[in-house]
Amino acid sequence: LLASRTRQQSALARFSQEALAGRDVPGLMQLACECIADAMRVEYAKVLQLLPDGSGLLLQAGVGWDAGLVGSAVVGTGPESQAGYTLTSGGPVVVPDLATETRFRGQQLVLDHGTVSGMSVVIEGVDRGDPYGVLGIHARTRREFSADDVEFVRAFAIAITTAIVRARREDEIEEARGRDRGAERAPGGP
């Protein structure tokens, strides 16, 4: 248990350092998936981004998924899928055994990869409280995820939200600087 917690804390520290170093958001999401999969000893990790119209969730980053799925696979947002249920419930969703799950059906993406257990949490958005998407992990064997495991994955979701907010603010600052430079060069300007 101590080794597991140490591995998790090390992964979160590594990710946090990279996030502070200013990596691009897609790169950070991919790194988050890699760190979580390694620390949790699961075969699959994913960041699902809510599409602008809310009709689905795009597999934005991930580990373990078949080639070509990251960046193109879309899962449903309805309460019949784990990701949709996670968005609806707003809290963490832990699934020890997908075969006996009664709250929702498994997503085709997850079923196609032979997963048995999983966990998912909401990644908060930056506008009006709308969610950005879902962070999830899945294993091919039955797993019991502890409250500490849930908090570990939630910490990554919070760090991802922070990186998104930071990147957006940096873009806004750069745009404002560009406008200011343009105004200085404009005829009749100072």
Side-chain angles (χ1 to χ4, degrees), residues 40-121:
M40 294 294 294
R41 303 284 198 246
V42 295
E43 293 87 356
Y44 305 100
K46 65 185 179 193
V47 171
L48 298 170
Q49 180 182 2
L50 188 61
L51 295 174
D53 65 2
S55 65
L57 290 149
L58 174 67
L59 180 58
Q60 184 69 31
V63 170
W65 309 103
D66 290 343
L69 290 177
V70 172
S72 66
V74 176
V75 299
T77 56
E80 66 279 353
S81 71
Q82 182 175 345
Y85 185 84
T86 302
L87 286 175
T88 303
S89 72
V93 176
V94 177
V95 180
D97 186 356
L98 189 56
T100 62
E101 180 57 55
T102 59
R103 298 171 290 180
F104 49 82
R105 295 187 321 268
Q107 303 157 334
Q108 199 59 47
L109 173 71
V110 174
L111 295 171
D112 288 347
H113 286 81
T115 65
V116 175
S117 295
M119 176 196 330
S120 51
V121 299

Side-chain angles (χ1 to χ4, degrees), residues 179-190:
R179 285 190 304 270
D180 290 346
R181 282 190 295 267
E184 289 173 2
R185 289 188 212 130

